[in-house]
Amino acid sequence: MANNDQNDKELNDYLNGDSDVSKAYRASNKQKPSSKIDDAIFSAAKEAVDSNLLKEKPKFHKAPWVKPVSIAAMITLSVSLVVTIQQESGKPLISEPDIEMFDSATVIEESAITETIISSDDASAPAPAVLGAAEDMYRAEEKTEAAKARMKAVPAKKILSKEKAQLEVLKESASADEQILPSAPTGVEFDGAVSIKQDYELSMKEETLLKIKGLWEQGEIFKAKETYENFTKDYPDVSSESIKEILGDYIYNGLLNN
Amino acid sequence: MSLEIHYYEMDKDTSDEDLMLRYATGDVAAFEALYVRHKGPVYRYMLNLCRNEAVAEELYQEVWMKLIKAREKYQVKAKFTTYLYKLAHNQFIDHYRKQNVRIVEDQSVEIDDVEHGQLSKNNPEKKAQTNQTIKKLSGLLASLPNEQQEVFLLREEAGMSVPEIAETLSINQEAAKSRLRYAISKLRAGLSVE
């Protein structure tokens, strides 16, 4: 009990600062960390603050709208860049040029040109018969296929202009041929528009003869004779054999005799 | 040198808690002032506990690094010294557990010649006596159990009261008082032995 009291007294004295133990300890313990350690700790403290400042700055940039706006801007720029490049290069926006579509347009244009040639060459002639028109269409299709084949190797616009030029040349040469060789024999093949014209004339001759035959068979003898006379004037080169082949001997002889 | 200048420029009446709060907002000078105030006591606390200078330095740096990392979360719930020495205590305990051995004294605490001179006042006989007392105290302190060493060091270095020691070590006040009582009794008894 007395020992405890002694200890409590010592403790109270110690806590009040009146202790040899404290004096001795304070006298002996004056060690301090080295300046190297001090510097290391100060550097760490400063770096922590600096890095914290760096971390705070990006927070502004990490606003929720930044990412979607960036993506939208990137897409807009990309699209506008592609459009600009394509416009400058002169290519269509659709990547693959449609040669088939261009072929069709060329065919249509070519058919129109062919019709123009026919109508301008023989404007006063009667409308072609169904049979003759079918033959013309068949030949026109053959020419179209040949033109398509040539187009594959040459740019479409150049083909079109070349074809136009060729047709113009053929048109002129056909007119010249008609003047120089008006009695060219049937069946002689000419290239291009010349052969088409001759075919058309042939079909016209056949049609006229069939018309005469029809008039005769209907009893309109006078009209048949009149038409036949015109026919012989228009086509003096047609042989009597050819006429007989279509009209038959009976009608042919009747036209001549009456 | 610049450190000392900063320290004296800082308001000396500024509390530890305010300095720590200022450092948490990025005031490095506040940290410097705080460090200058506490660097010696914390270092000696660790050195006397560890009795190994290299280990003590390592643990000492770790304590301050933890304080730096924890600055943003720091809140004034108690005295700053309590907070600081809790960090130091935990650091020592962690090291002690990792080593799983009692720290062996291999450190002969050097005597500060200047302080020694002040005490002896150029009296060679008294100087020798003081030197002997200090060496003895160092040996006695090292011989104390860690728990008693620690309460003594918290009292001497941090100037803590018994309740503050109890809070720092997470023990009740009676236990803190008891440990301190035994520590003082042993040290006094050892010093009185011729």
Side-chain angles (χ1 to χ4, degrees):
Chain A
M1 192 68 174
N3 196 24
N4 284 342
D5 290 343
Q6 178 65 25
N7 287 343
D8 284 342
K9 186 179 181 299
E10 285 177 356
L11 180 62
N12 288 332
D13 290 344
Y14 171 75
L15 290 173
N16 290 331
D18 185 16
S19 169
D20 294 338
V21 175
S22 286
K23 289 174 185 173
Y25 178 82
R26 288 168 192 168
S28 64
N29 285 272
K30 292 295 175 185
Q31 299 93 333
K32 287 183 178 178
S34 65
S35 58
K36 193 177 175 181
I37 293 174
D38 290 345
D39 292 341
I41 291 169
F42 288 143
S43 298
K46 193 173 184 307
E47 282 175 15
V49 170
D50 292 344
S51 65
N52 199 40
L53 289 174
L54 288 173
K55 279 181 186 174
E56 285 176 357
K57 284 182 180 176
K59 282 181 182 175
F60 174 75
H61 298 290
K62 287 181 180 176
W65 53 267
V66 169
K67 196 173 182 180
V69 168
S70 302
I71 293 169
M74 191 176 69
I75 291 169
T76 306
L77 283 171
S78 303
V79 170
S80 60
L81 185 66
V82 169
V83 169
T84 305
I85 290 170
Q86 287 182 336
Q87 284 176 345
E88 286 181 355
S89 65
K91 291 180 179 177
L93 289 176
I94 299 167
S95 58
E96 187 178 349
D98 195 346
I99 189 71
E100 290 300 319
M101 284 176 63
F102 203 84
D103 285 351
S104 303
T106 310
V107 169
I108 291 165
E109 191 164 347
E110 188 181 355
S111 302
I113 291 165
T114 308
E115 284 180 11
T116 306
I117 293 167
I118 292 166
S119 59
S120 63
D121 283 352
D122 199 2
S124 60
V130 176
L131 179 61
E135 285 180 2
D136 289 347
M137 286 175 66
Y138 175 73
R139 291 184 183 275
E141 282 176 6
E142 283 184 342
K143 288 178 66 62
T144 302
E145 290 298 324
K148 279 184 182 179
R150 288 194 298 272
M151 274 183 203
K152 288 179 182 177
V154 188
K157 285 185 176 179
K158 288 185 179 179
I159 290 170
L160 184 61
S161 59
K162 188 179 176 183
E163 288 294 314
K164 280 182 179 175
Q166 284 180 347
L167 288 169
E168 288 296 326
V169 169
L170 290 172
K171 181 185 171 186
E172 289 175 6
S173 62
S175 303
D177 287 343
E178 193 177 17
Q179 290 173 357
I180 297 167
L181 299 169
S183 59
T186 306
V188 176
E189 293 294 331
F190 291 91
D191 190 25
V194 177
S195 62
I196 293 170
K197 188 171 178 291
Q198 288 184 343
D199 291 339
Y200 174 73
E201 287 178 351
L202 181 62
S203 66
M204 289 300 293
K205 290 170 189 173
E206 289 176 350
E207 187 187 358
T208 308
L209 289 172
L210 287 170
K211 188 181 177 182
I212 293 166
K213 187 180 179 182
L215 290 169
W216 183 273
E217 288 174 348
Q218 288 172 9
E220 296 185 21
I221 305 299
F222 181 74
K223 275 190 177 181
K225 281 187 175 182
E226 188 180 348
T227 306
Y228 179 72
E229 284 174 4
N230 291 332
F231 177 79
T232 52
K233 289 176 184 174
D234 293 338
Y235 307 107
D237 56 320
V238 180
S239 64
S240 56
E241 294 301 318
S242 297
I243 295 169
K244 280 182 182 177
E245 191 176 338
I246 294 173
L247 296 178
D249 291 341
Y250 174 74
I251 295 173
Y252 177 71
N253 292 327
L255 289 169
L256 292 177
N257 292 334
N258 293 304
Chain B
M1 179 64 81
S2 62
L3 178 66
E4 300 297 332
I5 291 168
H6 281 149
Y7 172 63
Y8 287 114
E9 283 174 352
M10 189 70 63
D11 184 0
K12 288 180 182 177
D13 294 331
T14 307
S15 67
D16 292 342
E17 293 75 23
D18 286 343
L19 289 174
M20 188 60 195
L21 290 172
R22 283 166 64 174
Y23 174 59
T25 60
D27 186 351
V28 180
F31 176 83
E32 290 176 353
L34 202 59
Y35 180 78
V36 168
R37 282 183 192 179
H38 295 283
K39 67 172 187 175
V42 174
Y43 181 74
R44 286 188 293 274
Y45 167 85
M46 204 58 88
L47 185 64
N48 280 298
L49 280 179
C50 297
R51 295 283 159 179
N52 182 300
E53 193 172 1
V55 174
E57 283 182 351
E58 184 186 335
L59 297 183
Y60 170 79
Q61 287 191 66
E62 285 297 319
V63 170
W64 288 101
M65 293 302 175
K66 284 190 174 177
L67 183 70
I68 290 167
K69 286 181 183 174
R71 69 194 181 283
E72 290 177 331
K73 295 176 183 174
Y74 176 76
Q75 292 178 335
V76 183
K77 292 178 180 176
K79 281 184 73 175
F80 174 76
T81 47
T82 306
Y83 180 77
L84 179 62
Y85 281 90
K86 255 188 180 177
L87 289 176
H89 167 73
N90 292 335
Q91 197 65 39
F92 173 72
I93 294 296
D94 288 345
H95 176 75
Y96 179 78
R97 284 173 181 164
K98 283 176 188 172
Q99 297 297 315
N100 202 24
V101 289
R102 191 184 189 287
I103 307 298
V104 181
E105 62 222 68
D106 58 354
Q107 170 78 20
S108 59
V109 179
E110 293 178 3
I111 298 165
D112 189 314
D113 289 336
V114 176
E115 186 67 21
H116 185 207
Q118 287 174 347
L119 285 171
S120 59
K121 294 182 179 175
N122 298 323
N123 186 335
E125 193 176 324
K126 196 171 182 180
K127 182 180 177 180
Q129 189 183 351
T130 306
N131 197 14
Q132 190 180 359
T133 303
I134 289 167
K135 281 187 177 177
K136 191 183 276 184
L137 179 62
S138 177
L140 289 168
L141 187 59
S143 69
L144 290 176
N146 278 354
E147 294 81 5
Q148 293 177 21
Q149 264 190 60
E150 203 166 16
V151 293
F152 176 78
L153 291 170
L154 288 172
R155 172 65 190 175
E156 288 298 328
E157 295 296 349
M160 288 183 179
S161 63
V162 171
E164 288 169 348
I165 292 170
E167 187 181 351
T168 302
L169 299 179
S170 302
I171 57 176
N172 63 49
Q173 290 187 28
E174 286 304 314
K177 194 173 182 179
S178 174
R179 288 179 190 180
L180 190 58
R181 185 191 296 123
Y182 278 111
I184 297 301
S185 178
K186 284 179 185 175
L187 292 173
R188 278 192 64 136
L191 287 173
S192 63
V193 174
E194 291 294 328

